[in-house]
Amino acid sequence: MSQKIAIIGLGYVGLPLAVEFAKKYKVIGFDINESRVNQLNNGHDSTLEVSDQNLKAVLKQEHSNGLSLSFNASDIADCNVYIVTVPTPVDVNNRPVLTPLVKASETIGKLLSKGDIVIYESTVYPGVTEDTCVPVLEEVSGLKFNQDFYGGYSPERINPGDKTHTVANIMKVTSGSTPEIGKIVNDLYASIITAGTHLAPTIKVAEAAKVIENAQRDINIAFVNELAKIFNKLDIDTHAVLAAAATKWNFLPFKPGLVGGHCIGVDPYYLAQKAQEVGYHPEIILAGRRLNDSMGEFVATEVLKLMVQNSITVKDAKVLMLGITFKENCPDIRNTKAIDVYNALDSFNMNVDVYDPWANKDEVNHEYGIGTIPEITETYDAIIHVVSHDKFLDLDLQALKNKNSIIYDVKGNLTSKLVNKRL
């Protein structure tokens, strides 16, 4: 069949996917955020995942392929493939929030025609596509699943800020609600994914694969974070230990740090939720999450100890935090654990300035209620290297120090002679 593709959700996942598909197919990108759609139609992506040049190129295409963008659901009514890329966050109690998926399914259900395929890319626990989303599609559309319309699941593997591992360069897991649909879904993605595809036998297998990818990484980082806490008490440089251990051929090169973002810091809770629903309490997964969630306060406490050791008055001390995004060289502030460092320092009555040339100051203020400084104009009692943006490596940190100032390196990639301590 001739595919006309609708991408529902134009964020970090949906927009790059839409741009890639638009090189070969007619694609309509839909998002309920009108200002986001208008921004994209003007040729700029504030997430910086797609360059202005690439975005404008597909927007200008005509005839059989190209990209158009809309916030009106009626504009995607004549599509026959719907790909859902909306966010799947957790609430304050770390329980999965499926509302965006349900709302997207309701929107699609009103538009479904016989023969259409609905593919989900959002991270979920096994069973969400068929047990939560499909019933919504059936109820709203009045159509029968695997008789009138079909489903698929192909987990997103976007790595924000990574210009090497882009959509087409990352192998894609695919699946379909029947063997025949699985092949159609797989062929569709294979037409744009140069790295290749892997057709999973069922939708649930593909859903499970996604959550364990990030749960595994979360647990590995939790292990080295625990090592950092142990070696700190033993007065041993964790990074030196890891460098020595890495000389063994099968040692995994993970480093300690703050684990945030919309994937690693969230996905394990989705798997844990489903495990608990079926009567199993996941020990390792939740232990890893608890340890990683504790690291922001640990960093702040270590900074406090260093300040006391260097006879720096803690109350009203001037502190510079370098970075607020969840990872280096990207503007993504979703679920950043840098805010945990800030909040802990603030609780010690320190005056904290946050400098991050990648982060949008209005988004930071809206999401976390704090301001950021546009440039560094003062000197500080303590400097904390929180996020390893390349731009920070060019800063003259010595010139930013007051007498007896300390520098704490969370990421461990500053010149060792510059820092007093690293995580």
Side-chain angles (χ1 to χ4, degrees):
M1 73 179 174
S2 176
Q3 282 111 349
K4 186 173 182 181
I5 302 169
I7 307 291
I8 292 84
L10 297 174
Y12 282 85
V13 176
L15 182 66
L17 186 68
V19 168
E20 205 61 42
F21 269 123
K23 295 174 183 177
K24 290 194 174 183
Y25 303 94
K26 188 65 180 176
V27 178
I28 302 176
F30 169 76
D31 199 295
I32 59 173
N33 187 335
E34 184 175 345
S35 62
R36 170 68 171 164
V37 172
N38 288 336
Q39 174 201 86
L40 295 174
N41 273 322
N42 287 327
H44 178 67
D45 169 28
S46 61
T47 72
L48 306 181
E49 289 302 298
V50 175
S51 70
D52 292 359
Q53 180 182 2
N54 288 340
L55 178 57
K56 290 173 181 176
V58 292
L59 287 172
K60 288 180 179 179
Q61 289 180 193
E62 297 177 355
H63 309 301
S64 61
N65 59 347
L67 176 65
S68 59
L69 305 166
S70 177
F71 50 83
N72 292 314
S74 58
D75 289 336
I76 58 174
D78 62 341
C79 293
N80 52 17
V81 175
Y82 295 89
I83 301 178
V84 180
T85 59
V86 297
T88 44
V90 292
D91 65 16
V92 292
N93 297 310
N94 294 319
R95 292 174 301 196
V97 176
L98 300 178
T99 305
L101 273 180
V102 171
K103 293 294 185 184
S105 299
E106 289 174 348
T107 298
I108 296 168
K110 296 173 184 176
L111 309 171
L112 272 183
S113 300
K114 286 192 175 184
D116 289 354
I117 301 174
V118 185
I119 304 167
Y120 292 87
E121 288 213 2
S122 307
T123 300
V124 294
Y125 51 78
V128 167
T129 298
E130 292 159 297
D131 301 339
T132 300
C133 298
V134 165
V136 174
L137 294 171
E138 286 186 318
E139 181 181 357
V140 176
S141 69
L143 300 176
K144 186 71 175 173
F145 183 53
N146 280 342
Q147 180 178 312
D148 299 318
F149 73 94
Y150 304 90
Y153 184 78
S154 181
E156 59 90 0
R157 282 177 167 170
I158 294 295
N159 187 24
D162 190 336
K163 302 309 178 188
T164 301
H165 299 97
T166 54
V167 175
N169 298 325
I170 304 173
M171 193 168 189
K172 202 83 161 70
V173 174
T174 64
S175 64
S177 55
T178 70
E180 295 77 18
I181 294 301
K183 186 177 186 310
I184 291 173
V185 171
N186 189 70
D187 288 347
L188 178 65
Y189 280 99
S191 69
I192 66 163
I193 305 295
T194 56
T197 58
H198 174 88
L199 177 57
T202 67
I203 286 175
K204 285 185 175 68
V205 167
E207 291 170 326
K210 171 57 178 176
V211 285
I212 72 162
E213 288 173 20
N214 288 323
Q216 181 188 69
R217 184 167 174 79
D218 193 40
I219 291 165
N220 281 323
I221 298 173
F223 172 64
V224 293
N225 275 337
E226 187 162 60
L227 292 180
K229 289 186 173 184
I230 294 170
F231 293 145
N232 172 72
K233 289 186 175 295
L234 297 174
D235 197 27
I236 299 173
D237 186 333
T238 304
H239 291 269
V241 174
L242 294 174
T247 59
K248 190 181 181 200
W249 71 91
N250 59 353
F251 185 83
L252 301 178
F254 287 91
K255 292 184 178 181
L258 303 173
V259 186
H262 196 63
C263 291
I264 300 177
V266 172
D267 294 1
Y269 289 122
Y270 273 74
L271 184 57
Q273 168 78 13
K274 190 61 179 179
Q276 290 167 334
E277 285 180 7
V278 295
Y280 180 80
H281 180 75
E283 302 284 352
I284 295 175
I285 293 170
L286 290 179
R289 275 284 76 231
R290 285 192 298 271
L291 199 143
N292 283 339
D293 279 345
S294 74
M295 294 308 292
E297 189 167 345
F298 176 78
V299 166
T301 302
E302 290 301 293
V303 170
L304 175 66
K305 290 177 183 177
L306 274 176
M307 293 173 71
V308 172
Q309 291 167 7
N310 283 267
S311 302
I312 300 171
T313 302
V314 173
K315 190 175 186 300
D316 295 326
K318 287 288 293 178
V319 179
L320 175 64
M321 262 183 61
L322 294 174
I324 193 66
T325 62
F326 95 86
K327 65 174 291 188
E328 66 278 0
N329 303 324
C330 84
D332 196 347
I333 62 168
R334 294 175 298 172
N335 192 36
T336 177
K337 293 305 175 182
I339 193 64
D340 293 351
V341 179
Y342 178 93
N343 289 335
L345 295 172
D346 185 61
S347 72
F348 297 143
N349 294 313
M350 300 183 192
N351 294 317
V352 185
D353 283 348
V354 177
Y355 174 66
D356 194 323
W358 278 92
N360 182 294
K361 64 181 181 64
D362 294 328
E363 288 183 9
V364 174
N365 183 259
H366 178 267
E367 190 70 24
Y368 302 109
I370 66 172
T372 59
I373 59 174
E375 57 183 338
I376 304 172
T377 59
E378 301 183 46
T379 54
Y380 294 88
D381 301 308
I383 300 170
I384 312 171
H385 182 240
V386 181
V387 186
S388 57
H389 295 317
D390 290 343
K391 295 177 182 179
F392 291 157
L393 299 179
D394 296 328
L395 292 175
D396 183 356
L397 297 183
Q398 291 289 358
L400 302 179
K401 295 172 63 177
N402 290 330
K403 184 180 180 181
N404 297 330
S405 291
I406 61 102
I407 297 177
Y408 187 91
D409 185 10
V410 173
K411 299 301 294 184
N413 63 353
L414 294 179
T415 304
S416 58
K417 66 181 181 180
L418 273 178
V419 303
N420 298 79
K421 199 166 189 178
R422 51 186 181 174
L423 180 61

